[in-house]
Amino acid sequence: MSLNNTSNVFLDSVPGNSNRFQVNVINESHESSAAVDNNADPPHYEETSFGDETHNRFRISFRPGNQECYDNFLQNGENAKTDASFHAYDSHTNTYYLQTFGHNTVDAVPKIEYYRNTGSISGPKVNRPSLLEIHEQLAKNVAVAPGSADRVANGDGMPGDEEAENKEGEDKAGAVKFGWVKGVLVRCMLNIWGVMLFIRLSWIVGEAGIGGAYYLISRSLGPEFGGSIGLIFAFANAVAVAMYVVGFAETVVDLLKESNSMMVDPTNDIRIIGSITVVILLGISVAGMEWEAKAQVILLVILLIAIANFFIGTVIPSNNEKKSRGFFNYQASIFAENFGPSFTKGEGFFSVFAIFFPAATGILAGANISGDLEDPQDAIPRGTMLAIFITTVAYIGVAICVGACVVRDATGSMNDTVISGMNCNGSAACGLGYDFSRCRHEPCQYGLMNNFQVMSMVSGFGPLITAGIFSATLSSALASLVSAPKVFQALCKDNIYKALQFFAKGYGKNNEPLRGYFLTFVIAMAFILIAELNTIAPIISNFFLASYALINFSCFHASYAKSPGWRPAYGIYNMWVSLFGAILCCAVMFVINWWAAVITYVIEFFLYIYVTYKKPDVNWGSSTQALSYVSALDNALELTTVEDHVKNFRPQCIVLTGGPMTRPALLDITHAFTKNSGLCICCEVFVGPRKLCVKEMNSGMAKKQAWLIKNKIKAFYAAVAADCFRDGVRSLLQASGLGRMKPNTLVIGYKKNWRKAPLTEIENYVGIIHDAFDFEIGVVIVRISQGFDISQVLQVQDELEKLEQERLALEATIKDNECEEGSGGIRGLFKKASKLNITKPAPKKDSSMNTIQSMHVGEFNQKLVEASTQFKKKQGKGTIDVWWLFDDGGLTLLIPYILTLRKKWKDCKLRIYVGGKINRIEEEKIAMASLLSKFRIKFADIHIIGDINIKPNKESWKVFEEMIEPYRLHESCKDLTTAEKLKRESPWKITDAELEAVKEKSYRQVRLNELLQEHSRAANLIVLSLPVARKGSISDWLYMAWLEILTKNLPPVLLVRGNHKNVLTFYS
């Protein structure tokens, strides 16, 4: 097995080559003929050629005379100590050397030349070494055996397992369901044939004329029907109860007037009768939907008889008493006179429309109880459309008949006959022998304009019309009294308004909204006290128009969103008709009463803002969702047509959190620099048998995404099932994202337990870093002192919650048993309950962290829990120390800059640390300050570190040697046969040749930790350039030792390495 984790797809194997490392060595010293001190350590240089990659990519210089020391390993050290040991320019190969910290190395320090545009007048643009050049192995003939990999943790441990939640449906057995006739047709007809038909239609004809009534009807009874639209619609239905009850009370009061049996006065009598009536209706409604449906059928029969009675009465010859009250049977002159409008003072088309419009509100009576229908999809359109047709014909027929039989004004006096020789001036009544001219100067009590009981007078048998009025008003009131609570209950069940959750509860097999009934009763009683039908009707018109406007717009919006699930069955439906209907409803609202319309829309806007802010946890498959999807899709496609630009770069991260709740700190620090600016995907890899993994993965997808939403983390959750962890991450790196919204940065937690981890886990961990670099994706490794994985803590929490639930269930059982055994009625029950002395458990908070902290300290790692929340807290005044040692395109600088823009990190200042030469500290400090100012990045201080490459102290180096000791091969101390055997048995171990080759790099990591301890021990956060392990050169265990010694005993550390493409620019 090879020590590195690079897939052999990237390498060319050469059979027969037994050497682990192989390089082509060239002599580039300008003092090749000079004598060399045999006792001096030869300097080792990394390749520095960036020119002709085909021929000169892999070049290593060395002092002549020592080539035999390096034939069997890759020269990857950095021992050059003086500027005189190499050329600044090679005239033969046209390559240049970039000095990093005084050493000849590929990895470049930050320079302004890397960020210039091509052709810049301020200086030439220079290309930094690519990630490929510092990551790919030098030798192309290293054979790599593919290694096996098992499941490991996504960062630093095993992710926790979440179980899918199963929801049980509600038992609907025994519920009463209605067909389209009883459930929709009857209800709609009763509601439409309401109070307006019998006691206001004649007045409307008198005001607007026969043609005007047709205009109002044709535009009022449109195809609008649908379900609930919220509080306004429920409130409008509640007010409608008051309107119908007041209409009923008006008729009763008129009867009391005729018999001189008034209780107090007309207004108070209406209030008294209305209050008694609504209480009776409430009792019928509470009795259940089945009783209410039976009552509706009986009322419809009475109503049909009353309407027939009216039409019969129009052909029965009128007597003198009725003639004096304006009824002359069918007369062409009366029809012609009443055909046009004749509005009285204070009335107009839209004021009359406002009073008549509630007649059209009945079209939704069936839709309002859609939950009680057997087949709503078929019943609602069929029943509603048939009801609209029948009632429209009836309204038009009644309007024409009453307009052709009754004059507008009549005195009621049989003595007001025409005197011989009198000029009628075209008056229909005058032509028929009656003089009602005094009605022009003084109020009259009869005729279409004055008598609300015209239909009773015209009918063949007056009491039947009274019965019809009672039937129409009471049936409409009953339907509204049922509709309003149903709509309100549905709204409350959706938990949109949490304060109204109390009214969501239902009772009985039909889930009757008893609490909603009483709320509707209170609202209706409040409006009944107004006791004026013409005042209540415009209020209802305003609210129903707003409701219908939203219903129409909803139909249009659903069509516009092009959702495949929106398939209207109505054959002649057109989306633009719906839009026109919505606009027309809004316009009519303002014409009727502009200030009432403004108030209505202010209320709607407030409710909209409230719901938007609260974001209730509901999913209705709304057209808004569909349109959001279409917009997102269009924007994503449009984005693919635009080339990426450095000014628009933002970190788009794949975070290997496992389940997002198992590593909250890793997610929090990533979310801090991606929120509202970049893509963040929490990823989990399920390893094992494919069938089991896919089942586990699918069952937890929704739960984990919901956890992100609940905790207000703007991130996505993605999971894959794979044979090994590395394969899963490789799939995520290649396939995640959409179009331009693809991840460009991999974020992983530091593997704290690497010394105890199995070999395959280390190979996978280092391997995914190699894979990220291969795919030109930046890498961020985050280390905190306590580690990230809190899955064991969550497991303890779940177990304790289960125990708590069992305890509460047991206490409830004991309490029930005690109560059953108690005696003495209610008093004994309470006495027994009090003896139980059960302590009420403290309410649980939403935050799982707070719940964990309340547990016993011995049951979990308290420090781990505290560490897991450290990035949720506001960071106090302090610093973010940025050790920008190598120029990776600017990602190492961009991430901490974004952090300082966040509310939790805004009090932290940036301190910049860069490497440099001791003799050029001030010059390099000025150059870096100039670069940062061009980037418009504010900083508190800049430190040039000139002693990075001196050897670390002996104690520090000893710690490093002890760290790697268990993983060393020590082949140089063995004979050749034994050494070869050890290599075959443990190819993953660190060889002496490898350790010697990269000794200078190891020195640097240890020395950097010393400098970090000296300068940044008190920082809030350290952002540090991540060292790159060249494939085929650095073994996995040595690389892990580098990361360990580099970040040991420090505050939270972010090891960052971009993909060596510019992410910063000083061009605006």
Side-chain angles (χ1 to χ4, degrees):
M1 179 187 293
S2 171
L3 63 90
N4 89 37
N5 287 286
T6 308
S7 174
N8 58 2
V9 71
F10 300 110
L11 305 175
D12 299 326
S13 61
V14 179
N17 186 4
S18 61
N19 292 338
R20 182 175 180 186
F21 304 105
Q22 178 173 341
V23 297
N24 296 324
V25 184
I26 62 171
N27 186 345
E28 292 186 349
S29 174
H30 68 293
E31 296 178 350
S32 57
S33 60
V36 179
D37 185 0
N38 292 332
N39 295 325
D41 291 333
H44 307 151
Y45 303 134
E46 286 188 1
E47 81 285 357
T48 59
S49 174
F50 311 135
D52 188 353
E53 288 194 3
T54 307
H55 300 92
N56 299 313
R57 181 174 178 183
F58 307 113
R59 304 176 66 83
I60 298 181
S61 60
F62 69 105
R63 288 185 180 269
N66 293 307
Q67 179 174 349
E68 66 276 9
C69 299
Y70 310 105
D71 285 341
N72 295 322
F73 63 89
L74 174 64
Q75 301 195 25
N76 208 18
E78 296 181 355
N79 292 344
K81 298 294 189 295
T82 65
D83 292 348
S85 63
F86 57 84
H87 276 306
Y89 185 79
D90 184 354
S91 60
H92 297 287
T93 60
N94 194 28
T95 62
Y96 61 86
Y97 291 107
L98 185 62
Q99 298 181 44
T100 303
F101 315 141
H103 283 257
N104 187 18
T105 180
V106 170
D107 222 348
V109 297
K111 292 186 65 176
I112 192 172
E113 287 82 0
Y114 298 139
Y115 299 93
R116 288 197 175 106
N117 286 344
T118 304
S120 170
I121 61 174
S122 60
K125 173 178 172 58
V126 178
N127 293 324
R128 72 176 59 81
S130 69
L131 186 60
L132 187 70
E133 289 174 322
I134 66 171
H135 180 233
E136 283 290 344
Q137 60 181 11
L138 292 178
K140 286 292 185 180
N141 55 357
V142 180
V144 178
S148 60
D150 297 326
R151 182 179 184 179
V152 297
N154 295 318
D156 61 351
M158 295 295 290
D161 295 329
E162 281 75 29
E163 296 181 358
E165 295 181 346
N166 296 323
K167 298 182 179 179
E168 296 182 358
E170 189 177 349
D171 185 12
K172 298 293 184 181
V176 177
K177 297 293 182 180
F178 303 111
W180 71 273
V181 175
K182 198 173 181 180
V184 181
L185 179 64
V186 171
R187 292 176 183 278
C188 289
M189 291 173 65
L190 283 171
N191 264 32
I192 297 173
W193 281 336
V195 65
M196 295 302 165
L197 177 63
F198 290 100
I199 59 178
R200 283 298 183 275
L201 184 58
S202 58
W203 174 81
I204 289 170
V205 171
E207 292 282 351
I210 298 171
Y214 170 76
Y215 182 86
L216 295 174
I217 294 168
S218 64
R219 281 152 182 77
S220 297
L221 299 178
E224 301 95 344
F225 51 90
S228 165
I229 66 159
L231 282 176
I232 289 180
F233 191 55
F235 181 77
N237 274 284
V239 177
V241 175
M243 182 191 73
Y244 295 125
V245 170
V246 168
F248 168 79
E250 274 191 7
T251 304
V252 175
V253 169
D254 286 341
L255 294 175
L256 293 177
K257 281 182 183 179
E258 292 178 1
S259 60
N260 295 320
S261 302
M262 299 289 293
M263 292 179 285
V264 185
D265 57 63
T267 301
N268 286 312
D269 283 5
I270 289 175
R271 291 169 179 165
I272 295 171
I273 296 169
S275 300
I276 296 172
T277 304
V278 79
V279 169
I280 296 172
L281 293 176
L282 177 65
I284 296 174
S285 300
V286 170
M289 287 291 295
E290 194 169 4
W291 283 94
E292 184 265 347
K294 292 176 180 178
Q296 293 278 24
V297 174
I298 296 172
L299 293 173
L300 177 62
V301 172
I302 297 172
L303 189 59
L304 291 172
I305 293 173
I307 294 174
N309 177 52
F310 165 77
F311 286 113
I312 293 171
T314 60
V315 297
I316 295 176
S318 178
N319 55 34
N320 290 335
E321 182 182 2
K322 289 186 177 182
K323 288 181 179 179
S324 67
R325 295 182 179 183
F327 173 52
F328 296 94
N329 295 112
Y330 290 103
Q331 301 292 335
S333 59
I334 296 178
F335 181 86
E337 184 178 75
N338 289 338
F339 191 81
S342 178
F343 297 110
T344 56
K345 185 177 181 181
E347 301 294 349
F349 175 81
F350 286 103
S351 66
V352 175
F353 175 87
I355 294 172
F356 172 75
F357 183 78
T361 60
I363 61 177
L364 290 179
N368 288 339
I369 62 162
S370 56
D372 296 303
L373 301 176
E374 291 178 353
D375 184 10
Q377 187 174 358
D378 176 69
I380 291 175
R382 182 188 297 185
T384 304
M385 296 305 294
L386 184 57
I388 289 174
F389 174 76
I390 294 173
T391 55
T392 300
V393 171
Y395 265 108
I396 293 174
V398 171
I400 292 175
C401 290
V402 77
C405 296
V406 184
V407 297
R408 282 191 166 101
D409 295 297
T411 61
S413 173
M414 290 185 287
N415 296 323
D416 289 339
T417 55
V418 175
I419 302 173
S420 179
M422 180 179 176
N423 186 5
C424 292
N425 293 324
S427 171
C430 181
L432 295 171
Y434 280 82
D435 178 16
F436 299 142
S437 58
R438 63 188 176 97
C439 291
R440 301 173 186 172
H441 313 292
E442 59 184 61
C444 294
Q445 295 183 354
Y446 298 97
L448 297 177
M449 305 283 279
N450 310 301
N451 183 12
F452 292 149
Q453 302 297 330
V454 165
M455 290 190 68
S456 295
M457 178 190 67
V458 173
S459 66
F461 183 61
L464 277 180
I465 294 297
T466 302
I469 295 174
F470 289 174
S471 174
T473 53
L474 294 178
S475 63
S476 298
L478 193 58
S480 296
L481 189 58
V482 169
S483 297
K486 288 284 185 181
V487 173
F488 201 68
Q489 183 188 38
L491 183 69
C492 296
K493 275 187 174 180
D494 291 330
N495 203 20
I496 296 175
Y497 307 102
K498 294 186 182 297
L500 303 178
Q501 185 65 22
F502 173 79
F503 297 100
K505 183 174 177 59
Y507 297 87
K509 61 183 181 181
N510 278 348
N511 197 30
E512 295 292 343
L514 298 186
R515 296 174 179 177
Y517 283 131
F518 285 103
L519 178 64
T520 304
F521 170 76
V522 172
I523 296 173
M525 283 294 295
F527 281 87
I528 285 172
L529 296 180
I530 296 176
E532 180 56 51
L533 187 62
N534 284 15
T535 302
I536 300 174
I539 297 175
I540 298 175
S541 297
N542 190 62
F543 283 116
F544 273 109
L545 278 168
S547 302
Y548 291 162
L550 291 177
I551 292 173
N552 273 295
F553 184 75
S554 297
C555 292
F556 167 76
H557 198 267
S559 300
Y560 184 74
K562 300 180 178 67
S563 173
W566 172 249
R567 298 181 294 274
Y570 190 51
I572 57 175
Y573 166 78
N574 186 278
M575 60 183 288
W576 301 109
V577 174
S578 297
L579 179 62
F580 175 75
I583 296 172
L584 186 61
C585 288
C586 294
V588 171
M589 283 180 65
F590 283 92
V591 172
I592 290 175
N593 191 325
W594 68 268
W595 59 264
V598 169
I599 293 174
T600 302
Y601 279 108
V602 166
I603 294 173
E604 283 189 4
F605 182 73
F606 171 77
L607 295 175
Y608 174 82
I609 294 297
Y610 173 83
V611 175
T612 303
Y613 176 75
K614 289 295 183 180
K615 292 182 173 61
D617 186 18
V618 294
N619 182 13
W620 295 334
S622 66
S623 59
T624 303
Q625 281 180 287
L627 191 61
S628 297
Y629 176 84
V630 172
S631 299
L633 184 61
D634 291 341
N635 290 335
L637 290 171
E638 185 177 355
L639 197 60
T640 59
T641 64
V642 181
E643 292 295 327
D644 290 331
H645 195 282
V646 63
K647 287 193 295 184
N648 293 323
F649 177 87
R650 70 257 340 266
Q652 304 195 117
C653 300
I654 279 185
V655 196
L656 297 185
T657 58
M661 62 286 291
T662 60
R663 291 175 179 80
L666 181 61
L667 180 56
D668 289 338
I669 189 63
T670 308
H671 189 241
F673 59 81
T674 60
K675 181 181 179 181
N676 296 328
S677 62
L679 181 68
C680 182
I681 307 177
C682 303
C683 295
E684 185 171 10
V685 178
F686 291 86
V687 179
R690 179 61 58 90
K691 186 175 182 180
L692 294 177
C693 287
V694 170
K695 183 178 180 180
E696 181 184 1
M697 178 180 69
N698 292 340
S699 65
M701 292 284 283
K703 179 182 176 182
K704 292 168 184 176
Q705 184 65 54
W707 184 90
L708 293 171
I709 296 171
K710 180 182 178 181
N711 289 272
K712 298 181 179 179
I713 296 175
K714 297 184 177 181
F716 300 95
Y717 172 76
V720 294
D723 295 330
C724 74
F725 178 69
R726 185 178 177 185
D727 287 346
V729 176
R730 188 183 288 129
S731 299
L732 289 167
L733 292 174
Q734 295 179 89
S736 296
L738 182 67
R740 298 288 182 193
M741 294 182 293
K742 291 183 69 68
N744 52 36
T745 306
L746 171 67
V747 181
I748 56 177
Y750 177 71
K751 191 166 186 62
K752 188 180 177 184
N753 66 337
W754 67 274
R755 299 190 205 186
K756 300 179 182 179
L759 171 63
T760 52
E761 288 191 11
I762 302 301
E763 287 182 338
N764 277 325
Y765 185 81
V766 179
I768 62 174
I769 299 175
H770 286 304
D771 292 337
F773 288 150
D774 287 335
F775 298 135
E776 294 190 337
I777 292 176
V779 174
V780 177
I781 301 177
V782 188
R783 180 173 186 177
I784 59 176
S785 59
Q786 298 296 324
F788 293 104
D789 191 359
I790 64 168
S791 56
Q792 292 182 349
V793 177
L794 296 177
Q795 185 178 0
V796 171
Q797 178 195 358
D798 291 340
E799 291 174 355
L800 290 178
E801 286 181 351
K802 290 179 182 177
L803 290 174
E804 178 68 10
Q805 291 174 359
E806 291 175 0
R807 184 184 70 83
L808 293 176
L810 180 61
E811 289 178 350
T813 303
I814 294 172
K815 186 175 180 180
D816 291 341
N817 292 336
E818 291 285 342
C819 292
E820 289 176 2
E821 294 172 1
S823 60
I826 299 297
R827 183 178 300 176
L829 186 147
F830 282 104
K831 185 177 180 181
K832 286 285 185 181
S834 64
K835 289 182 179 180
L836 289 173
N837 194 22
I838 298 173
T839 303
K840 184 178 180 181
K844 295 183 180 180
K845 298 181 180 179
D846 291 338
S847 173
S848 60
M849 297 299 102
N850 292 336
T851 306
I852 295 173
Q853 290 178 3
S854 65
M855 299 176 188
H856 193 273
V857 176
E859 295 176 347
F860 65 95
N861 188 332
Q862 183 70 23
K863 291 184 178 179
L864 176 60
V865 174
E866 293 174 355
S868 69
T869 63
Q870 61 181 300
F871 297 127
K872 294 181 184 293
K873 304 172 184 175
K874 181 175 175 60
Q875 306 295 315
K877 290 186 178 181
T879 63
I880 299 177
D881 288 359
V882 183
W883 290 70
W884 196 16
L885 303 178
F886 303 107
D887 197 321
D888 59 350
L891 186 63
T892 307
L893 185 61
L894 180 62
I895 287 177
Y897 167 72
I898 295 175
L899 285 176
T900 60
L901 303 179
R902 304 307 186 198
K903 186 176 180 180
K904 293 176 182 176
W905 293 87
K906 67 178 183 179
D907 293 333
C908 295
K909 307 297 182 183
L910 292 183
R911 292 194 302 186
I912 312 298
Y913 293 83
V914 293
K917 300 175 184 176
I918 297 177
N919 60 347
R920 287 179 50 84
I921 287 180
E922 287 303 319
E923 292 88 339
E924 294 187 3
K925 188 173 183 178
I926 293 172
M928 179 54 61
S930 175
L931 179 61
L932 294 175
S933 65
K934 288 180 180 294
F935 287 150
R936 299 175 297 282
I937 292 178
K938 296 180 181 180
F939 56 91
D941 202 358
I942 296 176
H943 298 269
I944 306 298
I945 309 298
D947 54 350
I948 290 179
N949 281 289
I950 67 173
K951 287 186 178 181
N953 62 52
K954 293 181 179 180
E955 290 78 9
S956 301
W957 182 249
K958 184 178 179 182
V959 171
F960 178 75
E961 288 185 322
E962 291 175 352
M963 186 184 300
I964 63 175
E965 180 61 29
Y967 317 108
R968 292 189 61 180
L969 195 63
H970 290 295
E971 81 283 2
S972 60
C973 302
K974 311 288 191 304
D975 58 76
L976 184 61
T977 304
T978 304
E980 290 297 327
K981 181 181 179 182
L982 289 174
K983 289 180 182 179
R984 288 193 300 270
E985 293 176 350
S986 304
W988 52 271
K989 285 194 172 182
I990 306 170
T991 64
D992 294 338
E994 175 192 1
L995 193 60
E996 184 65 25
V998 295
K999 190 173 186 179
E1000 291 297 326
K1001 280 194 172 183
S1002 299
Y1003 279 160
R1004 183 193 300 162
Q1005 314 311 324
V1006 179
R1007 175 58 183 159
L1008 278 172
N1009 183 261
E1010 293 177 348
L1011 293 169
L1012 288 163
Q1013 298 284 350
E1014 177 184 348
H1015 295 279
S1016 299
R1017 188 65 184 271
N1020 294 56
L1021 182 69
I1022 297 173
V1023 182
L1024 175 65
S1025 292
L1026 172 68
V1028 177
R1030 189 181 295 280
K1031 292 191 297 184
S1033 303
I1034 309 298
S1035 61
D1036 297 341
W1037 295 95
L1038 180 58
Y1039 187 61
M1040 291 304 300
W1042 280 1
L1043 300 183
E1044 175 69 26
I1045 198 66
L1046 182 61
T1047 58
K1048 188 178 179 64
N1049 297 327
L1050 290 172
V1053 178
L1054 267 65
L1055 292 165
V1056 181
R1057 176 67 71 153
N1059 63 0
H1060 285 237
K1061 295 179 181 179
N1062 284 355
V1063 301
L1064 293 172
T1065 181
F1066 46 77
Y1067 297 100
S1068 58

